[in-house]
Amino acid sequence: MSLAKRPVFQALKCCAGDVTRSIKPTITLSILEFNLQKCRNPKEFLQIHAQMVASGFIRDTFAASRLLSFSAASPFLGLDYSRRLLHQIDNPNAFTWNTLMRACIHRNSPQFALPLYRSMLGGDSAPDSYTHPIVIHASAVRSSEVEGKLIHAHVVKFGFDSDVYVLNTLINMYSVCGNLTDARHLFDRSPVLDSVSWNSMLAAHVQAGDVKEAFRLFDSMPEQNTIAANFMIALFGKCNLVSDARKLFDGMDARDVVSWTAMISCYEQNELFAEALEMFHRMKREGVSMDEVVMVSALSACTKLGANKKGEVIHGLIIKDGLDSYVNPRNALIYMYSNHGNIVAARQLFDSCRFLDQISWNSMISGYLKCGLIGEARALFDAMPLKDAVSWSTMIAGYAQHDRFMETLELFSEMQVGHIKPDETPLVSVISACARLSALEQGKWVHAYIKKNGFAINVFLGTTLIDMYMKCGTVETAMEVFNGMKHRGTSTWNAVILGLAMNGLVKESFVKFEEMKRCGVPPNEITFVGVLGACRHAGLVDEGRQHFNTMKQVHGILPNIKHYGCMVDLLGRAGLLREAEELVESMPMAPDVATWGALLGACKKHGAIDVGERVGKKLIELEPHHDGFHVLLANIYASKGKWDDVMELRGTMRQRGVMKIPGCSMIESDGVIHEFLAGDRTHPHIEKIDKMLEEMARRLKLEGYQPDTTDVAYDIEEEEKETTLYRHSEKLAIAFGLISTPPPAPIRIMKNLRICGDCHDAAKIISRAFQREIILRDRQRFHHFRQGLCSCTDFW
């Protein structure tokens, strides 16, 4: 199918025959002009065309050219029709050919301009001074330097190389194609330069971001016109030279709407949003007419500042100035309203648009996701007529940001099936999802995809990969990524320090911390969360105190609530409950529930029932619907046999509607995530799992294992407690791992809660009895079980 729609052209052709047989062959130039002015549809144009053919007036070159000009510009006639009309003209001149070639550019079909030029040279017509600029422009639009150079040779051949109009289009073509050397060569050798020449050359340096050369050229201009100044303001904005842009703006003798827009955009690009809005209001006060571009920049500034009321005022101006039907301001309004949480207003704008582009759809989906409306976002995503890479990236990132990690991986798989090439954004989201799910195999696949498709491992992508491998317990691979990175940010070092500590490699974590400082990378608050976390995991109280003190004294970092929480946990685990409680009481900020929770956990570990009861009741007052604190206090009561208190606490939970979050363990097998709940019998391989559980119990007893029932908060018989323990979610996952993961591959499990003492003891023995490595990540840290030992050295 060519440019014209074939069925339409055939209909026109048939209609022409009917009209030719019924009209009187009389037409003059004045009648032609009159009829063309009234022409509104293909049929009316066809009648005019037929009259000219029947009367022989089509042989008049000027009249035929006028007819061609109309058809080439007409929205209801395809370019194919105009090309066929051209062949009916006996002696088309350069003007006629130029008309059709120019129409090809205006109607987004520049690829047909060069073939027309070749046809022109094959006939009797010679190009004039307007012909080559048209074809050169077509080459520039297509960024085809090869075609442009061919036309350049013809310019020299036909003697137009000294024509300033032709030279300006050549300078522009080379600039657009990124060939500043040839563009500058033409500029420097041109015998005549006008303002367009200077502006074209300046625009080329601005596009290349060459501030020094652009400024030198601007300073050398015979006349620094408004267009040139606008170019420079835009360049200063891109290069963060805001004061230079403002100085130039203030010194301009004459400003147009582009000048104001460039200055407002300069502020907006450099995150000076208040200044951008102030400039916008000044523009309004001075009565400068506003276009859609400046409205979009002002709305963007309102969005970033959270200036809802000002955004609504600008919305009113958009309606007043008749710009509300333009798609770009509408998209900016949708983005602003959805960012401010007014998703209803955003959707009303979306639904009222006659024309929606990709940005409209993507902005609306992004708005739903920011408001936490995942279902609505997915429904709109599924309804999209065409999804681009941004659509997929937005939806995938939205799932990941809202902890919908399974959906993140599933949608990424759909993206691959659709052969949509992802950019960095969805890859980071997918890697993060793999980290949260401990989906190592899928994470490895994404890493291989990154290598295969030549993605650069920058700081952002590299840090995410390190975090994923660390959270999957694959420390060696994480360090390979780290060592292979050319550039490392503070976040990269933090991921390594935290990851090593989480995996029980405390000494190595400290080594990396010292190396980080030697490399001149300043540690931040997150770094010290990792360092103090390493001390906490290893019970290094003195080292923890030292690092906590040096935060402020050496590095000028004030400890925040997370650092205090680490210290309370460290002291509590070490049995220093009095010091831990004193630290909580002396905190410069109100302790959060995590800090109190750490102290409560320490009370349970060390059997400090009095302190634990006091702290537990305080926590339940602070967070009456937090299931974990109720359960922890119930376990403290149960460990001392205070079953009446346990039942009373459970009654309070029922009264308040507090539901205990069930323990859930996940394990990856053949790229599929399997989930197990305590006592679960829904897995399709449950019979094989039951048999493996029996085998595990048999070998555990042979190894002298005795179930630890102290954490079973029910007043039931000991045998029943043991049965309950045997079906904990982590034991079900281990059983499945033993039948589904062939040795020597480690069995990798992730649990949503902290591993219980009995499962920890059992996992150590299983690793020795079955000669298998088990890597279990719970809510706090990693446990690497090998040959009956755990990497945590039982300090957890």
Side-chain angles (χ1 to χ4, degrees):
M1 183 76 71
S2 63
L3 289 170
K5 294 180 179 178
R6 292 295 184 191
V8 174
F9 185 80
Q10 294 298 334
L12 287 169
K13 192 173 179 182
C14 295
C15 185
D18 296 336
V19 174
T20 305
R21 289 190 291 271
S22 62
I23 59 157
K24 295 179 181 179
T26 56
I27 189 168
T28 64
L29 191 58
S30 59
I31 293 173
L32 173 63
E33 291 290 346
F34 179 76
N35 288 340
L36 289 176
Q37 287 175 13
K38 295 194 302 177
C39 184
R40 294 291 182 270
N41 56 60
K43 187 173 181 180
E44 290 176 0
F45 179 82
L46 183 58
Q47 289 175 339
I48 298 168
H49 185 184
Q51 282 179 333
M52 290 187 65
V53 173
S55 64
F57 200 39
I58 193 73
R59 290 190 293 273
D60 185 297
T61 303
F62 183 80
S65 297
R66 182 68 189 91
L67 188 70
L68 180 67
S69 296
F70 184 89
S71 71
S74 171
F76 51 75
L77 292 170
L79 278 175
D80 243 9
Y81 188 89
S82 299
R83 287 196 293 177
R84 295 191 181 197
L85 178 57
L86 175 66
H87 294 307
Q88 292 184 7
I89 301 174
D90 289 340
N91 297 299
N93 56 23
F95 176 81
T96 309
W97 288 97
N98 293 347
T99 299
L100 189 51
M101 286 188 285
R102 190 179 292 110
C104 290
I105 299 170
H106 291 163
R107 297 181 69 174
N108 297 321
S109 299
Q111 68 272 24
F112 295 105
L114 189 60
L116 282 170
Y117 175 71
R118 290 197 186 101
S119 298
M120 176 185 181
L121 295 180
D124 296 328
S125 300
D128 61 14
S129 59
Y130 295 99
T131 304
H132 293 117
I134 294 169
V135 190
I136 293 166
H137 185 201
S139 302
V141 170
R142 300 180 65 211
S143 297
S144 177
E145 187 180 351
V146 175
E147 289 182 5
K149 283 189 171 183
L150 289 173
I151 305 304
H152 189 176
H154 278 236
V155 166
V156 176
K157 178 182 176 181
F158 286 98
F160 292 112
D161 50 326
S162 60
D163 186 300
V164 68
Y165 179 47
V166 176
L167 283 171
N168 288 342
T169 53
L170 280 169
I171 291 170
N172 178 68
M173 182 273 296
Y174 282 121
S175 301
V176 168
C177 294
N179 187 349
L180 261 67
T181 303
D182 284 349
R184 191 57 188 261
H185 179 73
L186 280 170
F187 178 83
D188 291 337
R189 296 191 62 182
S190 176
V192 181
L193 295 172
D194 61 7
S195 62
V196 177
S197 313
W198 285 93
N199 290 343
S200 297
M201 199 63 242
L202 181 62
H205 287 293
V206 168
Q207 185 68 28
D210 188 346
V211 181
K212 185 177 179 181
E213 189 57 33
F215 193 80
R216 193 196 67 77
L217 198 67
F218 180 71
D219 204 42
S220 303
M221 290 182 73
E223 180 186 356
Q224 293 178 346
N225 54 53
T226 302
I227 295 173
N230 294 343
F231 281 142
M232 290 303 297
I233 292 171
L235 176 61
F236 286 144
K238 285 198 301 184
C239 299
N240 306 318
L241 301 170
V242 181
S243 58
D244 291 319
R246 183 58 188 265
K247 183 178 178 181
L248 179 56
F249 177 85
D250 290 338
M252 290 176 69
D253 295 328
R255 306 185 190 102
D256 58 12
V257 66
V258 178
S259 313
W260 289 90
T261 303
M263 194 63 234
I264 292 169
S265 296
C266 171
Y267 281 132
E268 198 262 333
Q269 288 167 7
N270 288 277
E271 299 185 357
L272 298 169
F273 305 115
E275 289 83 349
L277 283 181
E278 174 56 36
M279 184 62 69
F280 174 79
H281 291 307
R282 179 183 161 188
M283 180 183 182
K284 182 174 174 287
R285 286 195 301 270
E286 294 190 15
V288 182
S289 62
M290 299 183 181
D291 60 8
E292 60 170 313
V293 179
V294 74
M295 293 293 191
V296 169
S297 294
L299 286 171
S300 177
C302 290
T303 303
K304 295 297 191 327
L305 287 173
N308 303 15
K309 295 297 181 184
K310 289 182 179 179
E312 289 172 7
V313 170
I314 295 171
H315 188 179
L317 289 174
I318 288 171
I319 296 171
K320 181 182 175 182
D321 292 349
L323 298 172
D324 52 320
S325 61
Y326 288 59
V327 69
N328 290 332
R330 276 187 171 257
N331 288 342
L333 284 166
I334 290 169
Y335 184 72
M336 180 193 73
Y337 281 123
S338 60
N339 266 269
H340 295 168
N342 192 349
I343 200 69
V344 174
R347 187 57 194 254
Q348 286 173 347
L349 280 165
F350 180 84
D351 290 337
S352 63
C353 282
R354 291 186 201 172
F355 173 74
L356 296 168
D357 62 6
Q358 288 296 115
I359 297 174
S360 313
W361 288 88
N362 294 339
S363 297
M364 196 66 235
I365 291 169
S366 176
Y368 275 131
L369 291 169
K370 283 175 183 172
C371 294
L373 301 170
I374 314 297
E376 288 83 350
R378 183 57 193 263
L380 200 63
F381 175 81
D382 290 337
M384 288 185 76
L386 180 66
K387 301 177 182 73
D388 60 8
V390 176
S391 315
W392 289 93
S393 298
T394 302
M395 195 66 229
I396 289 170
Y399 273 140
Q401 288 160 8
H402 288 88
D403 296 345
R404 303 276 284 269
F405 303 115
M406 295 294 285
E407 289 96 330
T408 302
L409 299 183
E410 288 167 3
L411 192 59
F412 182 71
S413 297
E414 287 183 36
M415 185 180 185
Q416 297 302 294
V417 171
H419 302 290
I420 307 295
K421 186 176 181 180
D423 58 14
E424 180 182 293
T425 304
L427 293 174
V428 167
S429 299
V430 171
I431 294 167
S432 299
C434 292
R436 294 294 294 270
L437 294 172
S438 285
L440 179 62
E441 292 309 313
Q442 294 193 48
K444 284 181 176 179
W445 184 91
V446 177
H447 191 183
Y449 180 91
I450 289 168
K451 290 178 179 177
K452 181 181 177 183
N453 288 275
F455 283 92
I457 304 293
N458 56 24
V459 171
F460 196 37
L461 203 54
T463 301
T464 311
L465 281 168
I466 291 168
D467 182 63
M468 184 270 293
Y469 281 121
M470 286 293 189
K471 286 179 177 174
C472 289
T474 315
V475 178
E476 297 82 2
T477 312
M479 294 311 300
E480 285 175 12
V481 175
F482 177 80
N483 293 329
M485 290 175 67
K486 294 180 180 178
H487 304 286
R488 302 167 185 150
T490 303
S491 60
T492 315
W493 288 93
N494 289 346
V496 169
I497 292 167
L498 268 75
L500 289 169
M502 185 189 298
N503 281 278
L505 300 170
V506 174
K507 183 179 177 182
E508 290 83 348
S509 180
F510 290 150
V511 168
K512 283 299 173 189
F513 177 58
E514 295 302 322
E515 186 182 335
M516 175 187 185
K517 292 187 289 184
R518 285 198 304 274
C519 290
V521 180
N524 60 14
E525 293 90 345
I526 298 173
T527 313
F528 279 99
V529 170
V531 172
L532 292 174
C535 297
R536 179 182 65 179
H537 291 315
L540 303 174
V541 177
D542 292 337
E543 289 84 348
R545 290 191 184 114
Q546 180 187 347
H547 287 298
F548 185 77
N549 292 329
T550 58
M551 281 181 64
K552 183 178 178 181
Q553 296 170 2
V554 178
H555 301 283
I557 299 172
L558 288 174
N560 61 32
I561 201 160
K562 289 187 177 181
H563 303 118
Y564 278 99
C566 285
M567 285 303 298
V568 170
D569 194 24
L570 170 61
L571 295 169
R573 285 168 185 263
L576 303 171
L577 297 178
R578 182 183 295 276
E579 185 178 348
E581 192 170 9
E582 288 174 355
L583 183 61
V584 172
E585 298 292 348
S586 67
M587 286 171 61
M589 72 286 290
D592 62 357
V593 293
T595 305
W596 283 113
L599 184 57
L600 181 61
C603 292
K604 176 188 177 298
K605 178 178 180 179
H606 295 286
I609 188 167
D610 293 336
V611 179
E613 186 172 13
R614 186 175 69 253
V615 172
K617 287 180 176 179
K618 187 178 186 68
L619 272 170
I620 289 171
E621 285 177 15
L622 290 171
E623 288 282 338
H625 296 286
H626 193 293
D627 69 304
F629 301 144
H630 288 83
V631 172
L632 203 52
L633 183 56
N635 287 341
I636 291 175
Y637 287 143
S639 66
K640 298 299 181 182
K642 301 179 70 172
W643 298 112
D644 290 341
D645 291 329
V646 172
M647 295 307 295
E648 182 183 347
L649 192 58
R650 290 192 177 278
T652 303
M653 290 177 68
R654 282 193 297 272
Q655 188 178 0
R656 291 175 176 172
V658 179
M659 299 293 293
K660 179 182 180 297
I661 296 174
C664 175
S665 296
M666 290 179 283
I667 179 171
E668 183 183 24
S669 177
D670 293 328
V672 179
I673 306 295
H674 298 261
E675 294 183 340
F676 294 92
L677 300 176
D680 201 345
R681 300 200 60 83
T682 61
H683 196 276
H685 298 297
I686 190 62
E687 292 182 4
K688 292 181 180 179
I689 293 171
D690 284 341
K691 288 181 180 179
M692 181 53 70
L693 284 171
E694 292 173 6
E695 178 61 20
M696 285 164 52
R698 188 184 69 80
R699 296 198 191 187
L700 283 169
K701 285 186 178 180
L702 288 176
E703 294 282 343
Y705 160 78
Q706 291 293 325
D708 179 4
T709 61
T710 55
D711 282 342
V712 181
Y714 292 98
D715 186 14
I716 56 178
E717 294 298 324
E718 200 69 15
E719 184 179 348
E720 193 175 347
K721 287 183 180 182
E722 290 182 16
T723 304
T724 302
L725 289 172
Y726 269 117
R727 300 201 72 85
H728 272 194
S729 67
E730 46 266 71
K731 289 194 180 77
L732 291 169
I734 290 172
F736 179 73
L738 288 170
I739 63 177
S740 65
T741 308
I747 297 169
R748 300 177 187 276
I749 298 167
M750 187 189 79
K751 189 179 179 185
N752 64 331
L753 304 176
R754 184 173 173 270
I755 185 174
C756 77
D758 179 74
C759 287
H760 188 271
D761 291 341
K764 287 195 297 182
I765 298 171
I766 291 168
S767 70
R768 183 176 64 239
F770 285 84
Q771 291 294 299
R772 296 295 300 271
E773 180 183 1
I774 301 170
I775 301 174
L776 191 147
R777 182 180 121 204
D778 67 10
R779 190 170 60 185
Q780 293 187 329
R781 63 172 299 161
F782 269 94
H783 300 271
H784 293 255
F785 300 100
R786 299 185 187 94
Q787 293 298 319
L789 299 174
C790 180
S791 59
C792 73
T793 63
D794 295 338
F795 190 87
W796 53 282

